[in-house]
Amino acid sequence: MTDMIRARGLVKRYKEVEALAGLDLTVPQGTVLGLLGPNGAGKTTAVRILATLLEPDAGSAEVAGVDVLADPDGVRSRIGLSGQYAAVDEHLTGYENLEMVGRLYGMKRARAGGRARELLERFDLADAGDRPAKTYSGGMRRRLDLAGALVAEPPVLILDEPTTGLDPRSRQQMWSVIRDLVSSGATLLLTTQYLEEADLLADDIVVIDHGRAIAQGTADELKAQTGGERIEVVVADPARRGDAAQVLATVALGEVQTDENGRGVTAAVEGDGAGRLMTVLEGLRRAGVDVLDVGLRRPTLDDVFLTLTGRPAEEIADEEARTETEEVAR
């Protein structure tokens, strides 16, 4: 199977911030790689290098067999890029936005117009195609932006957090669109903060933190590293947290986590999660611990990062975002 994206040892520094610290990535043809990490982990920096918007300080990368440094124009002709924010002209209609992209790719007007109408239909925007984009909802703008990335029918798509900031309904619509692209054979690099999104869409996932790959595997494999499911208990009396923790310890895989400033107690469990939950409920009843809430859930992004790095996912993007903007402006 041909590798459509291949990066080796990518390094990028912004003053004192090392955004990438030797990142390796491989995306085989016709597959989806989810690049998972918290804000500031280096996801967007990697995307900008692969899209030829930034040059790495060290390392190499190829997209569709073309070197990003030796032939950036060749790379750009082979990729479709959708960033974190919808890049649409609000004063143009949806149709005009897509036609303009086609013309910029060198298409004749008739071909660009036909492609625009085709994509408006495909992305459920046909009825709004002749309206200014400023009248579109956030989800509609994101779909229009993604449609723009497909105008030239590129063999490789790079989607940088395509559903960030969308409401649940718009996120579901975007997931449906992306699944359709995948089923049609697209090769896709998808960056996301959402484990659920990577779970639904990605064939393989690379987890990065501080610019390095710290884990790779399917969503289920990554979740298994965090101990599978979680039992969460919220006690009515904060003074009984310790008693609840003792009950959860009887079924826990690893240490029981307590919220020192609240009422929550959490334990990872393995195997029959529902059965272990029933055991916990019975134990809490016998111990006389009243609870406000109790539940069984799958791991979240924070759980994965807490297990892999010893800390929760953090909001550490400000310096990276500011210095990246300065770099692009230069």
Side-chain angles (χ1 to χ4, degrees), residues 21-315:
L23 181 66
D24 295 338
L25 293 174
T26 300
V27 188
Q29 185 176 11
T31 68
V32 182
L33 177 68
L35 194 59
L36 184 69
N39 284 337
K43 303 187 304 295
T44 295
T45 298
V47 163
R48 290 179 174 177
I49 289 173
L50 293 171
T52 74
L53 300 176
L54 287 175
E55 291 190 2
D57 295 321
S60 62
E62 293 182 355
V63 178
V66 180
D67 190 285
V68 299
L69 292 177
D71 187 7
D73 288 339
V75 171
R76 291 169 196 152
S77 70
R78 291 166 170 80
I79 65 171
L81 173 65
S82 180
Q84 293 183 27
Y85 306 101
V88 301
D89 188 320
E90 294 189 344
H91 299 289
L92 298 179
T93 66
Y95 169 83
E96 289 168 341
N97 267 279
L98 298 181
E99 183 194 39
M100 177 181 67
V101 172
R103 297 289 285 166
L104 290 172
Y105 271 105
M107 294 180 180
K108 294 186 181 298
R109 186 175 299 278
R111 171 59 179 152
R115 184 67 175 150
R117 292 297 181 194
E118 177 185 335
L119 288 168
L120 288 170
E121 190 72 37
R122 181 176 185 181
F123 283 81
D124 197 25
L125 293 169
D127 291 342
D130 295 321
R131 282 168 36 198
K134 64 183 178 182
T135 67
Y136 287 15
S137 67
M140 292 170 68
R141 292 186 191 197
R142 294 298 293 169
R143 296 204 305 275
L144 182 63
D145 181 61
L146 183 52
L150 297 176
V151 168
E153 301 181 85
V156 177
L157 291 173
I158 301 175
L159 308 184
D160 189 15
E161 300 191 17
T163 65
T164 296
L166 294 184
D167 60 73
R169 180 180 178 183
S170 295
R171 182 170 293 145
Q172 291 283 347
Q173 290 175 328
M174 282 296 293
W175 287 346
S176 178
V177 168
I178 293 170
R179 278 195 292 262
D180 288 343
L181 294 174
V182 173
S183 65
S184 67
T187 299
L188 175 61
L189 174 64
L190 171 75
T191 79
T192 181
Q193 299 179 58
Y194 305 117
L195 187 61
E196 179 187 9
E197 185 163 274
D199 192 356
L200 286 169
L201 302 174
D203 298 301
D204 201 21
I205 298 171
V206 172
V207 182
I208 68 171
D209 191 29
H210 293 304
R212 293 182 173 86
I214 59 173
Q216 183 168 359
T218 66
D220 286 341
E221 289 169 345
L222 294 175
K223 291 172 187 177
Q225 295 185 45
T226 71
E229 295 175 308
R230 295 288 196 269
I231 294 177
E232 292 183 340
V233 174
V234 179
V235 298
D237 181 359
R240 302 299 304 273
R241 281 196 311 267
D243 297 325
Q246 289 181 2
V247 173
L248 265 69
T250 63
V251 300
L253 179 67
E255 294 184 3
V256 176
Q257 299 172 22
T258 59
D259 182 357
E260 298 301 329
N261 298 315
R263 305 166 186 264
V265 185
T266 303
V269 296
E270 192 173 39
D272 180 13
R276 297 182 189 282
L277 176 61
M278 295 300 294
T279 300
V280 166
L281 290 172
E282 177 60 23
L284 292 170
R285 187 192 64 78
R286 288 199 306 268
V289 178
D290 294 327
V291 299
L292 298 176
D293 192 19
V294 62
L296 182 69
R297 66 171 177 80
R298 301 184 76 189
T300 65
L301 175 62
D302 271 350
D303 297 325
V304 173
F305 267 80
L306 188 60
T307 299
L308 295 174
T309 71
R311 64 181 180 84
E314 299 173 330
E315 299 291 329

